[in-house]
C-alpha cells in the first residue's frame, strides 16, 4: 500500500462536521489537514452508485485541483427495514432549504411507521487519491438503532437519531471525542492511518 510521505493532505469534503471529526483524528498523527473550502475546491457531481465510487470521485477531483494527496469521504445512514435507504442519498434526502437534518430524520421515522425493526448502520468510505491518480480505499461501519424523538445537539446530520449498539444515548449526546472512538468514520480513518502512515 502506498504511504503518505509528506504528511499533508486535503480533505475533499465541504461538510464542516466531517472536517472537524477528521481533523481531530488526524492531527495527533502529525498530519496537516487543509479543507476543500480553504482552497475553494469545486464540488464534483456524485455520479457513483456506491460509497466507494463517490469517495473516489471527490478524492481524485481534489487531488487534481490541489496537487496534494486528498482524502474523500462518502458516508451515510443505511436503514435496514428500508432496504438500506437513504444510503448514498443521505445528504440528498434532506431538504436543502431546511436548517439541519430534522426534515430528513422525520421522513425516515415516518417511513418506518410502526415497524419493529429500527436497526440501521452508518457507513463511511474513505479514498485517498494522489495527484498522479493512484488511490487506496478504506471502509468503516457502525451498527445501531434509530430513536424517536431525536435526542442531543452534538455532531451533525443524522446523529440525534442514531443510538450506537451498546449505548442508550445517541451519537449527538456523545462528545466529539467519544464519537471519534467508535464511529464509522473513525474506523475507516484507523485503516487509513494503519496502512498509509
Ligand atoms: P461532501 O460530499 O462535501 O463530503 P456531504 O454532506 O454531501 O459532503 P455525503 O455526500 O457523503 O457528504 O453525504 C453524507 C450525509 O450522510 C451527510 O450529509 C450526513 O447527513 C450523513 N452522515 C454521514 N456521516 C454522518 C455522521 O457521522 N453523523 C451523522 N450523519 C452523517
Amino acid at each position: 500500500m502506498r504511504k503518505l510521505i509528506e504528511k499533508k493532505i486535503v480533505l475533499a469534503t465541504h461538510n464542516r462536521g466531517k472536517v472537524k471529526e477528521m481533523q481531530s483524528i488526524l492531527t495527533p498523527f502529525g498530519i496537516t489537514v487543509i479543507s476543500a473550502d480553504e482552497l475553494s475546491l469545486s464540488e464534483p457531481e456524485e455520479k457513483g452508485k456506491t460509497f466507494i465510487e463517490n469517495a473516489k470521485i471527490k478524492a481524485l477531483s481534489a487531488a487534481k485541483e490541489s496537487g496534494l494527496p486528498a482524502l474523500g469521504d462518502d458516508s451515510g445512514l443505511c436503514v435496514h427495514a428500508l432496504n438500506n435507504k437513504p444510503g448514498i442519498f443521505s445528504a440528498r434526502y434532506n431538504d436543502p432549504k431546511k436548517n439541519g437534518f430534522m426534515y430528513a430524520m422525520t421522513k425516515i421515522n415516518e417511513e418506518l411507521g410502526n415497524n419493529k425493526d429500527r436497526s440501521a448502520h452508518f457507513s463511511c468510505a474513505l479514498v485517498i487519491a494522489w495527484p498522479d491518480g493512484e488511490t487506496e480505499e478504506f471502509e468503516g461501519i457502525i451498527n445501531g438503532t434509530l430513536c424517536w424523538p431525536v435526542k442531543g445537539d452534538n455532531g451533525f446530520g443524522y446523529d440525534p437519531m442514531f443510538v450506537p449498539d451498546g449505548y442508550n444515548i445517541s451519537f449527538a449526546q456523545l462528545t466529539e471525542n467519544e464519537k471519534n472512538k467508535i464511529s464509522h468514520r473513525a474506523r475507516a480513518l484507523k485503516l487509513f492511518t494503519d496502512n498509509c502512515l
Side-chain angles (χ1 to χ4, degrees):
M1 185 139 333
R2 186 160 169 186
K3 304 282 178 199
L4 195 69
I5 298 173
E6 203 191 329
K7 292 213 168 67
K8 192 172 180 187
I9 55 173
V10 173
L11 299 181
T13 173
H14 294 270
N15 179 317
R16 290 199 188 143
K18 291 184 186 178
V19 170
K20 213 161 158 260
E21 290 181 6
M22 294 204 269
Q23 204 160 27
S24 33
I25 292 175
L26 292 173
T27 35
F29 288 93
I31 301 177
T32 306
V33 300
I34 308 162
S35 73
D37 278 342
E38 282 174 72
L39 298 177
S40 307
L41 300 182
S42 57
E43 270 190 75
E45 198 187 335
E46 296 178 28
K47 293 188 194 140
K49 291 193 178 63
T50 62
F51 289 117
I52 285 285
E53 282 174 20
N54 282 333
K56 198 178 277 186
I57 290 170
K58 297 180 208 182
L60 283 169
S61 161
K64 200 169 161 208
E65 280 186 28
S66 67
L68 290 167
L71 193 59
D73 169 316
D74 200 64
S75 42
L77 180 70
C78 303
V79 182
H80 303 160
L82 303 179
N83 286 323
N84 285 338
K85 266 196 340 182
I88 60 164
F89 300 103
S90 293
R92 290 164 269 183
Y93 220 57
N94 201 28
D95 182 335
K97 295 189 287 294
K98 303 272 172 356
N99 237 345
F101 267 72
M102 204 53 213
Y103 175 86
M105 291 190 289
T106 305
K107 195 154 80 171
I108 289 173
N109 192 53
E110 282 170 6
E111 284 173 355
L112 274 175
N114 289 328
N115 204 313
K116 285 203 178 67
D117 179 10
R118 296 183 64 90
S119 66
H121 66 270
F122 268 121
S123 198
C124 174
L126 286 182
V127 172
I128 174 103
W130 279 266
D132 62 11
E134 196 177 324
T135 59
E136 306 284 1
E137 306 167 0
F138 311 95
E139 279 189 281
I141 72 157
I142 176 153
N143 285 303
T145 309
L146 300 179
C147 62
W148 202 262
V150 300
K151 44 191 189 184
D153 303 307
N154 301 333
F156 66 98
Y158 297 91
D159 280 346
M161 196 184 190
F162 184 82
V163 177
D165 281 356
Y167 290 73
N168 52 23
I169 56 174
S170 78
F171 255 4
Q173 292 173 303
L174 295 177
T175 62
E176 188 183 277
N177 265 348
E178 288 167 334
K179 182 183 171 193
N180 278 347
K181 287 197 181 106
I182 59 169
S183 80
H184 48 312
R185 183 162 297 104
R187 288 176 176 166
L189 280 169
K190 171 144 182 26
L191 293 176
F192 164 65
T193 53
D194 282 354
N195 286 286
C196 291
L197 297 186

